[in-house]
Amino acid sequence: MIKVLKAAAHIVWAVSIISLGTLIGASFGWVHHGWIGAIAVGTIGFSVGALLAADPLLVLHFLHGGL
């Protein structure tokens, strides 16, 4: 039961972080570069979100101020 909840939490975490990275990248690209920038920077945001989604503890470590 705990493994199922842990897997579900990781899936929710991954989807939300990847979506947030894509949204931030696309909106930044749209404001500064138009359609092409939204697609390009949104793709970069997707990649960064995927990297951050792989390890939630690493994100929490960076938010805490450590390197």
Side-chain angles (χ1 to χ4, degrees):
M1 183 67 174
I2 295 295
K3 289 183 180 182
V4 172
L5 290 175
K6 187 176 177 181
H10 195 273
I11 290 170
V12 169
W13 168 261
V15 169
S16 64
I17 290 298
I18 291 171
S19 300
L20 182 65
T22 306
L23 178 68
I24 290 172
S27 63
F28 181 82
W30 174 260
V31 168
H32 294 284
H33 304 290
W35 278 103
I36 300 299
I39 293 170
V41 183
T43 303
I44 294 169
F46 178 84
S47 301
V48 170
L51 290 173
L52 293 176
D55 192 8
L57 292 177
L58 182 64
V59 175
L60 293 176
H61 182 72
F62 282 133
L63 289 176
H64 187 265
L67 185 62

